[in-house]
């Protein structure tokens, strides 16, 4: 029986690659984004459904998760890719900038992960994947993207706490920490950059599918540093 996964941030450069990978690997994909579906390649796929949800709204997100659990009975995986980016160092990062990044990167993940984690514990199986970042792990990389780095850092701590809570079960939270991802938007934002040093979206998609597959069953408390040479 096909596993069912929720993929947030499904319209993004990484999200679309992950949707393609999981459909190809015969998962049932519940794609989520705030805006309308942009994955035209998947519209008519029998194992694809799309939902527009504001993941920064806890009540709306909780109602969505409840509806998906009611519809599918069991959610096997959650690839929480939704997020955003902002530059700024300590001099020009005010409190509102911190709050904005926390809402986009941490709260959106937490509001999704919390009900799904409890659901997975009840079923004794589940895989949650959070997207960290290199700047959250390395101060030299984080000092000029301060709010972004701090918001991503919280995801590592959340994974640690969830894994401690689920110890002894087959519910596992992973963090994938990429450097720069090779997406159309990043190429547009950084013209002239050496993209050969970046991480390809399909490479991350391959890793996420491995985590959720039966091959990933023994994995516990994993953090994956996908830096390439960036």
């Amino acid at each position: 029986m096909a596993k069912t996964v929720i993929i947030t941030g499904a319209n993004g450069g990484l999200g679309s690659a992950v949707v393609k990978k999981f459909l190809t690997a015969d998962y049932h994909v519940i794609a989520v984004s705030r805006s309308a579906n942009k994955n035209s390649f998947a519209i008519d796929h029998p194992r694809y459904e799309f939902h527009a949800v504001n993941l920064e709204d806890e009540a709306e997100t909780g109602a969505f998760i409840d509806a998906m659990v009611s519809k599918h009975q069991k959610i096997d995986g959650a690839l929480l890719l939704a997020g955003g980016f902002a530059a700024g160092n300590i001099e020009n990062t005010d409190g509102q900038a911190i709050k904005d990044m926390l809402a986009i990167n941490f709260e959106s993940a937490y509001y999704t992960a919390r009900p799904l984690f409890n659901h997975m514990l009840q079923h004794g199986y589940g895989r949650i994947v959070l997207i960290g970042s290199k700047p959250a792990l390395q101060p030299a990389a984080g000092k000029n993207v301060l709010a972004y780095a701090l918001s991503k850092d919280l995801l590592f701590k959340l994974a640690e706490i969830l894994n401690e809570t689920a110890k002894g079960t087959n519910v596992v939270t992973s963090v994938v920490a990429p450097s720069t991802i090779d997406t159309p938007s990043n190429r547009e934002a950084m013209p002239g950059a050496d993209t050969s040093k970046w991480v390809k979206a399909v490479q991350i998609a391959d890793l996420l599918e491995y985590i959720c597959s039966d091959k990933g069953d023994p994995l516990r408390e994993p953090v994956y540093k996908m830096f390439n040479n960036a």
Side-chain angles (χ1 to χ4, degrees), residues 178-196:
S179 56
T180 305
I181 304 173
D182 190 356
T183 63
S185 59
N186 280 340
R187 283 179 176 246
E188 183 179 343
M190 292 174 273
D194 184 357
T195 59
S196 68

Side-chain angles (χ1 to χ4, degrees), residues 106 110 113-114 117-118 121 128 130 153-169 171-175 220-223:
F106 179 74
Y110 184 78
R114 179 173 174 254
F117 178 76
N118 292 324
L121 280 182
I128 295 173
L130 306 172
D153 183 63
L154 278 176
L155 295 174
F156 291 92
K157 184 56 66 177
L158 176 61
E160 290 176 5
I161 292 171
L162 294 183
N163 284 325
E164 180 62 31
T165 304
K167 186 168 285 187
T169 75
V171 177
V172 180
T173 303
S174 305
V175 185
R220 296 295 182 273
E221 304 178 21
V223 174

Side-chain angles (χ1 to χ4, degrees), residues 32-205:
V32 182
S33 186
R34 178 177 289 195
S35 58
N37 180 41
K38 295 180 181 177
N39 291 321
S40 57
F41 63 86
I43 288 176
D44 296 323
H45 198 290
R47 293 190 310 278
Y48 178 81
E49 58 184 281
F50 179 87
H51 300 269
V53 182
N54 177 10
L55 299 175
E56 295 172 38
D57 185 313
E58 185 172 16
E60 182 177 338
T61 303
F64 164 70
I65 298 300
D66 287 346
M68 291 302 98
V69 168
S70 178
K71 178 179 179 180
H72 297 281
Q73 301 303 308
K74 184 183 178 186
I75 306 297
D76 301 286
L79 300 312
L80 307 186
L81 315 181
F85 175 82
N89 58 22
I90 190 69
E91 182 180 356
N92 51 34
T93 300
D94 60 12
Q96 188 59 50
I98 298 291
K99 291 175 182 177
D100 289 345
M101 280 288 97
L102 286 175
I104 293 169
N105 290 321
F106 179 74
E107 291 178 15
S108 66
Y110 184 78
Y111 297 155
T112 310
R114 179 173 174 254
L116 284 174
F117 178 76
N118 292 324
H119 163 75
M120 291 171 178
L121 280 182
Q122 291 174 2
H123 285 271
Y125 176 84
R127 294 292 183 269
I128 295 173
V129 181
L130 306 172
I131 301 298
S133 70
K134 184 178 180 180
L137 294 172
Q138 298 183 357
K143 65 182 181 180
N144 290 319
V145 289
L146 180 61
Y148 172 77
L150 289 174
S151 66
K152 288 291 189 177
D153 183 63
L154 278 176
L155 295 174
F156 291 92
K157 184 56 66 177
L158 176 61
E160 290 176 5
I161 292 171
L162 294 183
N163 284 325
E164 180 62 31
T165 304
K167 186 168 285 187
T169 75
N170 200 7
V171 177
V172 180
T173 303
S174 305
V175 185
V176 175
S179 56
T180 305
I181 304 173
D182 190 356
T183 63
S185 59
N186 280 340
R187 283 179 176 246
E188 183 179 343
M190 292 174 273
D194 184 357
T195 59
S196 68
K197 295 182 179 181
W198 295 359
V199 182
K200 297 186 182 303
V202 293
Q203 294 173 323
I204 299 175

Side-chain angles (χ1 to χ4, degrees), residues 208-222:
L208 299 192
E209 196 281 319
Y210 182 89
I211 291 170
C212 293
S213 73
D214 292 343
K215 294 178 181 178
D217 235 31
L219 298 171
R220 296 295 182 273
E221 304 178 21

